[in-house]
Amino acid sequence: MKKILSICALAAGLVSLTSCSDFLDQQSPSEQNDESVYQSIYYTGLRVNKIYGDLTYDETYSQYMGIVWNTNSDIELIDGLGSDANNTGSERGNMNYNQDPGWSKIAKLWDRAYSTIEDANDVVSGIENSPLLTSGSKSDIATLRRYEGEALTLRAMVYLDMVRYFGDIPLKLETSKSDLSNAYLTKTDRDSILDKMMDDLDKAIEYLPWAGQNSYTTEHATKGYAHALLAQIALTRAGYAIREQAKDGYETAAYSDATYPTQRPGAAERKALYERALKHLSAVIESGQHSLNPSFFNEWYLVNQRTLDTQYRENLFEVPMGLSTGSEFGYTIGVRMNGVTSLFGYGNSSGKVKLTAPFFYSYDKNDQRRDVTCSNIQFKENDNKSTDMQMLGNTPFGIYVGKWDPRMESGMVNDKKTAIDMTKAPSGDWYTANKAASAKQLTGINCVKMRYSQVLLMYAEVMNELAGPDGHYTGDAGLTARQALALVHNRAFSSTNKSEAETYINNIGSSKEAMFNAIVNEEGWELAGEGVRKWDLIRWNLLTEKTLEMKQTYINYVKEAEEAQTNKTTSAHFQKTVYFNYIDKDHHFIDESSITWYGLPEGKTAADYAGSVTSFGGSKCDGTDKHVYTELPSISNGLVGNAQSPSETPNVTVKNRYIMPIASTTISASNGHLHNSYGYKD
């Protein structure tokens, strides 16, 4: 009989891991039972490793939970528009909010996530009942408690993501019993789940070391990550969410469904949650264990190189993956490799996550994050069996996420490790494996679950709520909201342009609203493609509004470009044609620094450039253009209907229905304990 949560009873032996980083010990004798496991530090460690192994599957953080299910937002889109946006049998429909409980991947994610939770439950229970807690040495007890802290933190991480996907879900905190007496569970209110996870993290924080202590790395759940995760949960708890029914004392949003209201806690409860978040964010900042890498590029070069940053530790926690055995970062998301190439070998997928042209042009032209984040090129084999680097052209909703890049994976950077160097020959483990591959090659790139820049942005948000842009508050880390925001923003500019960045920060108004809007923008510029934006927009109740704002901005920019072309001016965001040069005489590799994104520079003409391509200004509002009249209306149409601007009211069945349905197969196996809400059929 299938259990409701699809949590398999643990086998007598420990399951061998095949997809974690090398530091994970993968061996264990098959005869060990649960009782004997938790009388041994070594075997307990293997059980903890199994939780990390759970996080490396496609259905968890290698693909589904790490990449695909974090779309759509106003800046990140699932690949495939037009009629594909209504395909409920794939990501292309479901991530455009045309969700269907019959989509098979919903059940796969649910099953794998609850299997992970089951493994964490087993570790927590096993340690709490271990005789070593009373008879073991101080060292043994400290190690057991650290293992428990890791299990509690990873369980909280998975529960947060599951609540964000499904809303109210079963809360299971104990190991399954053989008689299935605790297998069939009903839903628990999402607020109760998040409250419990925060309490668990308070405990975990006491047990966990900081990254860097006694060789403890950021491929483990660290004290810093537990602090930051607790704060993230507190902000989620304080924010808006669509509810199965209205809750007394909660505030209902202006844009809300009559049956399934979008609500947040009242002012007093929100303040308490902000204060709780502040305590933990301040702990991370004041610890000095994590800081910003001065180079945004180098931060991502290290991630692509599968190298932990032991100097700055900007990443508080990275889910550990293994080359060829885990991770679709750089395959499902990343710079486009269009088929097999002689330069890099086996090609990656079409890239399921894309960025938009309005987002690209929202960056300051001197913001160094733009060209790391937004990739408008692809690598493709030419007729002469050599590899060309090509501009993508007019793909306003098809910009690739450049944070994962085969060039960085292959070590093709300059000696200062601050920029791509296309004259360098590719090398390294990933390159060697990919050249030999004849099918999908898993990259082994870790899934980054929290960066220090995100800590600073959450801190700025909390401080702004509690004290405004420039005030201080009891328990803060000595930084105002403006100062914390400045650390993130200023890092993105070279020394030549620092004064420009500082002027921007200083010119943000003195009101809470002005600072909040600046934080919303900065969060996009800093964290695009990393699986953060959608969930922040939801808790801010801005997902629908910002999606429609993006659509309106796109139309405005197309019209602006049309007018500029008619009047023979270049004063438009979108250029009809962008020009560029190459770094080699055979014109294989584009000099990306030469691309004329903002029109021809003063004194330059088209004749000064060797290459050109029609860009985002090549579209027209003439009734026929596919980008304007087919693709744009299909983006997130399950969420916003036919609306194309914030002034229009979406014609949808249920407002703000971003929540996924529970899979039909999961419901049918629940023995009547589960059902769907939000207008979904069971």
Side-chain angles (χ1 to χ4, degrees):
M1 178 167 50
K2 183 176 179 181
K3 290 189 278 185
I4 175 179
L5 301 180
S6 296
I7 299 174
C8 299
L10 291 173
L14 297 173
V15 177
S16 173
L17 299 181
T18 59
S19 51
C20 283
S21 290
D22 291 340
F23 82 92
L24 294 178
D25 190 335
Q26 299 179 11
Q27 303 299 318
S28 62
S30 61
E31 68 272 10
Q32 294 297 319
N33 57 39
D34 286 354
E35 184 177 350
S36 61
V37 162
Y38 297 106
Q39 295 183 44
S40 163
I41 296 296
Y42 173 69
Y43 292 133
T44 300
L46 295 180
R47 277 292 168 91
V48 176
N49 286 352
K50 188 174 186 298
I51 306 173
Y52 287 100
D54 291 338
L55 306 179
T56 67
Y57 287 96
D58 274 359
E59 296 85 2
T60 52
Y61 294 97
S62 176
Q63 188 198 116
Y64 292 18
M65 299 171 79
I67 302 172
V68 174
W69 283 46
N70 301 316
T71 55
N72 279 355
S73 72
D74 59 330
I75 63 179
E76 300 142 330
L77 307 177
I78 197 70
D79 174 66
L81 298 174
S83 60
D84 274 345
N86 297 311
N87 180 0
T88 57
S90 77
E91 292 88 350
R92 291 176 170 179
N94 283 274
M95 298 309 142
N96 272 295
Y97 303 100
N98 294 305
Q99 303 97 322
D100 188 334
W103 184 38
S104 62
K105 289 187 177 181
I106 298 176
K108 291 179 180 179
L109 183 148
W110 180 282
D111 291 351
R112 185 64 69 183
Y114 271 107
S115 178
T116 305
I117 290 167
E118 176 77 358
D119 285 333
N121 290 344
D122 180 81
V123 169
V124 172
S125 175
I127 290 174
E128 286 292 343
N129 292 290
S130 171
L132 290 179
L133 286 183
T134 55
S135 63
S137 66
K138 277 189 175 182
S139 175
D140 286 348
I141 294 171
T143 301
L144 280 180
R145 289 303 191 191
R146 172 170 68 81
Y147 287 153
E148 184 176 1
E150 290 181 75
L152 289 169
T153 302
L154 298 176
R155 184 173 71 180
M157 178 184 79
V158 174
Y159 263 122
L160 170 61
D161 284 335
M162 288 293 284
V163 162
R164 295 196 292 197
Y165 298 143
F166 296 103
D168 298 347
I169 56 173
L171 175 62
K172 190 169 190 298
L173 299 173
E174 60 180 5
T175 304
S176 293
K177 298 177 181 179
S178 59
D179 63 359
L180 304 185
S181 60
N182 64 345
Y184 296 103
L185 302 177
T186 58
K187 294 180 183 179
T188 300
D189 181 86
R190 59 183 294 154
D191 292 345
S192 297
I193 296 173
L194 298 181
D195 288 343
K196 172 58 178 172
M197 294 305 105
M198 286 190 287
D199 290 344
D200 282 353
L201 287 167
D202 274 327
K203 182 190 296 186
I205 286 164
E206 298 301 315
Y207 298 157
L208 292 171
W210 291 100
Q213 291 182 345
N214 298 321
S215 301
Y216 196 70
T217 76
T218 51
E219 284 187 319
H220 292 273
T222 64
K223 185 186 290 286
Y225 179 58
H227 275 300
L229 178 60
L230 197 159
Q232 187 179 34
I233 292 174
L235 290 179
T236 302
R237 176 74 170 79
Y240 283 102
I242 189 171
R243 308 276 175 177
E244 296 200 16
Q245 58 186 14
K247 299 188 73 170
D248 292 340
Y250 277 44
E251 297 177 2
T252 302
Y255 179 70
S256 177
D257 191 76
T259 305
Y260 303 105
T262 297
Q263 293 186 313
R264 67 178 180 179
E269 189 173 5
R270 289 203 312 278
K271 181 182 178 183
L273 287 163
Y274 293 144
E275 290 173 338
R276 190 170 186 178
L278 177 63
K279 171 186 174 182
H280 293 281
L281 295 167
S282 294
V284 177
I285 295 169
E286 292 176 331
S287 74
Q289 299 299 315
H290 300 278
S291 60
L292 293 176
N293 184 327
S295 167
F296 187 81
F297 175 90
N298 185 251
E299 153 71 10
W300 287 100
Y301 171 65
L302 293 173
V303 170
N304 278 266
Q305 282 282 293
R306 309 189 324 277
T307 300
L308 295 181
D309 175 5
T310 57
Q311 181 176 4
Y312 304 106
R313 300 187 188 90
E314 179 168 339
N315 299 337
L316 278 67
F317 175 53
E318 302 180 18
V319 176
M321 301 286 177
L323 179 62
S324 303
T325 59
S327 180
E328 293 204 7
F329 289 92
Y331 181 87
T332 285
I333 188 171
V335 173
R336 173 70 159 140
M337 289 192 292
N338 192 341
V340 177
T341 65
S342 55
L343 182 62
F344 294 117
Y346 193 80
N348 68 1
S349 71
S350 60
K352 288 180 181 175
V353 181
K354 304 292 179 58
L355 303 174
T356 70
F359 173 64
F360 178 87
Y361 275 101
S362 73
Y363 279 101
D364 184 282
K365 65 180 179 180
N366 293 318
D367 190 325
Q368 296 179 324
R369 295 173 296 192
R370 187 200 68 186
D371 291 341
V372 173
T373 303
C374 302
S375 173
N376 288 282
I377 56 98
Q378 67 174 352
F379 292 96
K380 188 174 183 179
E381 202 75 345
N382 59 37
D383 293 339
N384 295 321
K385 304 302 181 184
S386 61
T387 305
D388 285 336
M389 178 180 173
Q390 303 173 344
M391 287 289 295
L392 292 176
N394 186 14
T395 55
F397 314 118
I399 299 172
Y400 288 80
V401 184
K403 289 175 176 175
W404 298 273
D405 191 326
R407 296 171 294 180
M408 287 195 277
E409 290 178 81
S410 303
M412 298 172 66
V413 301
N414 62 22
D415 292 338
K416 294 182 180 180
K417 298 181 180 178
T418 58
I420 298 291
D421 183 353
M422 287 303 302
T423 67
K424 284 203 169 186
S427 62
D429 293 345
W430 172 82
Y431 170 74
T432 300
N434 207 60
K435 285 283 285 185
S438 58
K440 178 172 69 175
Q441 169 66 26
L442 298 177
T443 65
I445 295 174
N446 288 348
C447 173
V448 179
K449 285 298 291 179
M450 181 71 67
R451 291 200 287 123
Y452 186 66
S453 57
Q454 188 177 354
V455 170
L456 290 172
L457 290 173
M458 289 192 292
Y459 177 89
E461 179 185 350
V462 169
M463 285 297 293
N464 186 51
E465 291 291 338
L466 294 173
D470 301 296
H472 284 280
Y473 198 83
T474 302
D476 70 28
L479 295 171
T480 65
R482 191 183 304 272
Q483 290 168 335
L485 183 66
L487 290 174
V488 178
H489 187 77
N490 293 350
R491 190 263 295 264
F493 291 78
S494 68
S495 56
T496 304
N497 303 114
K498 285 290 188 208
S499 60
E500 173 190 338
E502 291 166 358
T503 298
Y504 166 81
I505 293 294
N506 292 336
N507 286 341
I508 297 171
S510 59
S511 68
K512 285 187 177 182
E513 181 182 12
M515 179 55 66
F516 174 74
N517 290 335
I519 292 168
V520 171
N521 289 335
E522 199 72 40
E523 188 254 25
W525 298 328
E526 177 71 19
L527 300 170
E530 297 178 48
V532 176
R533 180 72 168 179
K534 174 180 178 178
W535 312 115
D536 283 346
L537 290 180
I538 286 169
R539 64 182 179 83
W540 294 329
N541 196 31
L542 290 177
L543 181 62
T544 296
E545 179 181 330
K546 285 293 183 181
T547 298
L548 293 174
E549 184 180 294
M550 179 273 290
K551 293 192 176 197
Q552 184 176 53
T553 299
Y554 175 71
I555 292 296
N556 290 345
Y557 285 179
V558 169
K559 291 179 178 178
E560 179 188 66
E562 285 184 292
E563 183 178 348
Q565 292 160 33
T566 300
N567 297 330
K568 306 300 182 183
T569 68
T570 57
S571 57
H573 291 82
F574 289 172
Q575 305 298 306
K576 180 179 180 180
T577 305
V578 294
Y579 301 90
F580 52 86
N581 283 313
Y582 295 89
I583 65 170
D584 63 313
K585 62 182 179 61
D586 296 321
H587 292 184
H588 291 308
F589 303 132
I590 294 168
D591 176 3
E592 291 182 85
S593 67
S594 72
I595 303 171
T596 61
W597 291 118
Y598 302 97
L600 288 167
E602 186 175 353
K604 295 284 189 180
T605 68
D608 293 310
Y609 296 89
S612 66
V613 68
T614 299
S615 191
F616 311 129
S619 290
K620 294 183 179 296
C621 295
D622 60 359
T624 63
D625 189 278
K626 70 173 184 177
H627 301 306
V628 177
Y629 297 99
T630 301
E631 293 180 349
L632 184 69
S634 74
I635 294 172
S636 300
N637 62 345
L639 178 74
V640 301
N642 294 326
Q644 295 286 80
S645 74
S647 63
E648 300 178 51
T649 301
N651 55 324
V652 291
T653 304
V654 176
K655 296 177 181 177
N656 275 343
R657 190 172 73 172
Y658 58 85
I659 290 285
M660 293 294 291
I662 301 173
S664 300
T665 53
T666 300
I667 290 175
S668 65
S670 72
N671 203 22
H673 287 69
L674 291 180
H675 64 277
N676 266 318
S677 298
Y678 314 109
Y680 292 123
K681 295 180 180 179
D682 288 345

